[in-house]
């Protein structure tokens, strides 16, 4: 009975909203709406919202419902599995699984991102909230249409930026978003790739320390004398020698780098970026051919299941070899590229403006207003 009601409602919603969906598609091009994937492939979801003037409360949608479906908030909020979001919802079926997209105004999206990414900040740190708002907005603009094949712009997770809707918003971060409305960082008139990370450990990374490809000129290593109060400023990992080599072999296998089982590892060399101090190449010396691990794979190779995302905290470390053990002594957490969030917090605490913070970490960029 429940299912029948649900199906009827779904068909009803779908038929009526095939027409009413058109305005927001047009509006998307004009007013910078953003489409955020909230759920990617589930078999059931409950939603609340308005569909053709009818209010649905905790309405159950299954893979047997009729898709696509659209729900508006009509001045309030829509809900997905009990969590409130601004804007509208679009539900569709891909490979017989339900995908839920939140379609909303860019700055409403940024309001749900800033506190998730920078944390809850106090009034004296207002400038860092503004810096994070501009960085998050810039990232979103630079990534519009990146998942066009799936029909949305951004994931709501660390894959893009963490977005949790209304529940994570705070008064101070919302004010920061409003105060910087329409502002993004640009380089030669284009939105920049506004990378940011938790803690650089004293010096940010060059783009190619973390990723292959062409490096944007504004993502280069800069000194950061601001993040030493971060709990991630330094870190250590200690292994027995035998455990380290087991860990290394497993990591190479995980990263798809072949090292035959009977190959004896004779030595390990670390090649470092002199400026950023990151490891840009790890060379495993064997009796035969040396094996090279590029810098941007090292966090995967040396990461453990217990590390966040399975990645080593950073590729900014030294190997301290002792009689029976090997100690990794590292700095920072994250890829190290772009804005160091703990550094930015300290800059704000010392009275620096959000523009000064952004221009420190993204050299040669400028703040522009999107039309
Ligand atoms: Zn830093």
């Amino acid at each position: 009975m429940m299912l029948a009601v649900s199906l009827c409602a779904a068909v009803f919603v779908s038929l009526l909203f095939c027409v009413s969906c058109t305005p927001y598609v047009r509006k998307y091009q004009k007013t910078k709406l953003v489409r955020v994937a909230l759920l990617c492939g589930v078999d059931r979801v409950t939603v609340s919202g308005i569909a053709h003037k009818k209010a649905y409360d905790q309405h159950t949608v299954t893979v047997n419902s009729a898709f696509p479906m659209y729900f508006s908030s009509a001045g309030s909020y829509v809900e997905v599995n009990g969590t409130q979001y601004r804007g509208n919802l679009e539900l569709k079926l891909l490979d017989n699984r339900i995908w839920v997209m939140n379609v909303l105004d860019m700055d409403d999206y940024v309001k749900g991102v800033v506190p998730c990414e920078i944390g809850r900040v106090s009034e004296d740190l207002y400038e860092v909230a503004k810096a994070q708002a501009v960085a998050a907005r810039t990232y979103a603009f630079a990534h519009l249409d990146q998942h066009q094949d799936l029909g949305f712009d951004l994931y709501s997770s660390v894959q893009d930026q963490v977005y949790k809707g209304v529940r994570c918003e705070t008064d101070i971060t919302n004010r920061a978003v409003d105060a910087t409305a329409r502002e993004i960082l640009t380089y030669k008139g284009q939105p920049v790739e506004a990378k940011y990370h938790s803690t650089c450990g004293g010096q940010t990374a060059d783009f190619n320390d973390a990723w292959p490809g062409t490096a944007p000129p504004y993502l280069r290593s800069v000194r950061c004398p601001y993040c030493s109060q971060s709990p991630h400023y330094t870190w250590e990992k200690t292994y027995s020698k035998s455990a380290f080599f087991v860990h290394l072999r497993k990591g190479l296998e995980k990263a798809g780098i072949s090292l035959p089982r009977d190959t004896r590892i004779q030595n390990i060399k670390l090649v470092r970026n002199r400026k950023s101090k990151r490891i840009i190449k790890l060379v495993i010396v064997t009796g035969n051919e040396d094996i090279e691990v590029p810098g941007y794979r090292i966090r995967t190779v040396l990461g453990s299941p217990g590390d966040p995302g399975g990645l080593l905290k950073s590729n900014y470390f030294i190997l301290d070899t002792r009689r029976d053990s090997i100690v990794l002594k590292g700095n920072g957490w994250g890829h190290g590229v772009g804005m160091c969030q703990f550094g930015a917090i300290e800059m704000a605490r010392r009275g620096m403006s959000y523009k000064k913070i952004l221009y420190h970490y993204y050299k040669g960029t400028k703040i522009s207003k999107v039309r």
Side-chain angles (χ1 to χ4, degrees):
M1 186 62 190
M2 202 48 208
L3 180 64
V5 171
S6 166
L7 275 171
C8 287
V11 171
F12 179 68
V13 169
S14 174
L15 286 173
L16 291 166
F17 273 70
C18 282
V19 177
S20 61
C21 70
T22 312
Y24 88 59
V25 174
R26 289 203 198 107
K27 212 172 151 196
Y28 166 70
Q29 291 160 348
K30 276 188 181 172
T31 61
K32 311 297 182 202
L33 288 186
V34 62
R35 301 160 300 172
V36 187
L38 301 176
L39 297 175
C40 308
V42 295
D43 55 16
R44 174 180 292 266
V45 59
T46 60
V47 296
S48 301
I50 311 287
H52 198 66
K53 296 181 183 173
K54 181 175 177 351
Y56 290 85
D57 185 29
Q58 303 291 312
H59 174 65
T60 301
V61 177
T62 72
V63 291
N64 298 316
S65 305
F67 295 91
M69 302 170 78
Y70 303 94
F71 293 89
S72 70
S73 54
S76 177
Y77 303 121
V78 286
E79 275 185 31
V80 177
N81 290 339
T83 298
Q84 293 182 323
Y85 298 92
R86 295 173 187 269
N88 303 321
L89 295 176
E90 176 181 344
L91 283 73
K92 61 181 176 185
L93 209 59
L94 290 171
D95 288 335
N96 208 36
R97 307 284 287 173
I98 303 166
W99 287 59
V100 180
M101 264 68 82
N102 187 191
V103 184
L104 75 169
D105 175 81
M106 176 63 85
D107 275 7
D108 285 346
Y109 160 72
V110 176
K111 284 175 180 172
V113 170
V114 174
C116 301
E117 291 287 358
I118 199 73
R120 288 179 174 264
V121 293
S122 49
E123 196 66 40
D124 57 325
L125 301 178
Y126 182 50
E127 290 299 309
V128 80
K130 286 159 75 180
Q132 182 65 64
V134 175
R137 186 184 296 112
T138 305
Y139 180 94
F141 267 100
H143 290 257
L144 286 177
D145 287 337
Q146 71 171 340
H147 305 297
Q148 189 59 34
D149 52 332
L150 294 168
F152 64 92
D153 301 303
L154 298 160
Y155 285 102
S156 55
S157 64
V158 289
Q159 203 163 337
D160 284 306
Q161 305 188 107
V162 178
Y163 164 68
K164 292 185 178 173
V166 179
R167 73 183 149 135
C168 82
E169 291 180 15
T170 68
D171 173 58
I172 184 168
T173 50
N174 281 1
R175 276 191 283 121
V177 174
D178 290 338
T180 60
R182 300 190 293 120
E183 290 184 359
I184 61 167
L185 279 172
T186 60
Y187 183 81
K188 293 188 174 174
Q190 295 299 313
V192 307
E193 186 67 51
K195 300 282 189 192
Y196 53 88
H197 60 279
S198 163
T199 306
C200 74
Q203 180 85 30
T204 70
D206 280 328
F207 177 87
N208 287 132
D209 296 342
W211 298 283
T214 308
Y218 48 83
L219 291 181
R220 58 177 192 261
S221 177
V222 297
R223 208 167 76 81
C224 172
Y226 306 111
C227 59
S228 58
Q229 296 304 311
S230 164
H232 311 291
Y233 189 71
T234 58
W235 51 266
E236 274 193 19
K237 277 190 134 186
T238 303
Y239 296 89
S240 69
K241 277 191 174 165
S242 58
F244 177 78
F245 287 109
V246 168
H247 180 57
L248 177 61
R249 282 176 183 277
K250 273 190 190 163
L252 290 169
E253 197 178 312
K254 184 174 65 180
I257 299 169
S258 127
L259 178 69
R261 191 162 289 195
D262 53 356
T263 304
R264 192 166 162 271
I265 298 175
Q266 295 179 342
N267 196 6
I268 292 173
K269 289 185 201 163
L270 302 180
V271 181
R272 205 172 288 279
N273 177 334
R274 280 194 189 170
K275 187 170 185 200
S276 73
K277 304 187 181 75
R278 263 68 180 180
I279 311 295
I280 52 172
K281 199 192 292 178
L282 187 146
V283 184
I284 299 163
V285 181
T286 73
N288 303 315
E289 202 178 341
D290 290 352
I291 290 163
E292 294 189 351
V293 181
Y296 57 87
R297 311 281 310 268
I298 290 172
R299 293 180 66 206
T300 305
V301 169
L302 291 179
S304 305
D307 293 325
L311 299 174
L312 188 69
K313 285 190 90 168
S314 72
N315 62 351
Y316 183 0
F317 63 88
I318 58 165
L319 277 184
D320 183 3
T321 308
R322 298 175 184 174
R323 201 158 65 90
D324 298 319
S325 61
I326 291 179
V327 185
L328 274 69
K329 292 182 172 175
N331 283 57
W333 182 22
H335 50 64
V337 179
M339 184 171 73
C340 164
Q341 291 170 305
F342 267 92
I345 288 169
E346 181 58 22
M347 288 177 84
R349 196 187 313 279
R350 294 185 191 181
M352 289 179 235
S353 72
Y354 75 105
K355 289 185 180 178
K356 187 153 189 175
I357 294 169
L358 292 167
Y359 292 155
H360 175 72
Y361 292 109
Y362 305 100
K363 294 289 184 207
T365 61
K366 69 172 194 175
I367 292 174
S368 309
K369 287 210 172 196
V370 289
R371 275 173 287 161

